[in-house]
């Protein structure tokens, strides 16, 4: 599973040994850094139990060990809004 921006993940020791205490993590982006095969860098926010961001972090993890808690919402369809035609009227000056 490759995370997307907005995904909320449960990061445990199966993702990396640095997470003896599991955390909730909201992904900002997957960083484009050279890593070992099967590992990746994630940039995002550590979340508290209420889901509030408490710390911005970059973490080095194995994607196979990430557990999705909440997927990012699907991108909205682009809507085209049309404007009514502009009415120009003469203005008297002076």
């Amino acid at each position: 599973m490759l995370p997307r921006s907005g995904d909320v993940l449960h990061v445990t020791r199966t993702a990396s040994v640095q997470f003896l205490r599991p955390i909730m993590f909201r992904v900002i982006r997957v960083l484009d850094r050279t890593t070992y095969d099967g590992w990746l860098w994630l940039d995002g926010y550590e979340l508290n139990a209420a889901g509030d961001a408490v710390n911005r972090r970059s973490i080095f993890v194995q994607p196979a060990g990430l557990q999705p808690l909440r997927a990012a919402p699907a991108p909205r369809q682009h809507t085209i809004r049309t404007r009514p035609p502009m009415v120009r009227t003469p203005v008297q000056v002076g």
Side-chain angles (χ1 to χ4, degrees), residues 1-7 9 27 29-30 40-42 61 63 66:
M1 162 200 149
L2 188 63
R4 298 182 326 151
S5 177
D7 285 350
L9 308 171
V27 177
R29 64 178 170 243
V30 177
L40 53 88
W41 281 97
L42 297 176
V61 293
L66 300 174

Side-chain angles (χ1 to χ4, degrees), residues 43-54:
D43 193 23
Y45 293 100
E46 183 177 349
L47 306 177
N48 64 12
D52 300 323
V54 292

Side-chain angles (χ1 to χ4, degrees), residues 56-88:
R56 183 163 179 176
R57 297 179 67 170
S58 292
I59 60 175
F60 188 57
V61 293
Q62 293 179 318
L66 300 174
Q67 301 167 7
L69 291 177
R70 187 175 63 230
R76 294 188 325 211
Q77 294 294 330
H78 181 68
T79 56
I80 299 173
R81 297 182 186 158
T82 58
R83 294 183 181 173
M86 200 177 224
V87 179
R88 298 184 182 263

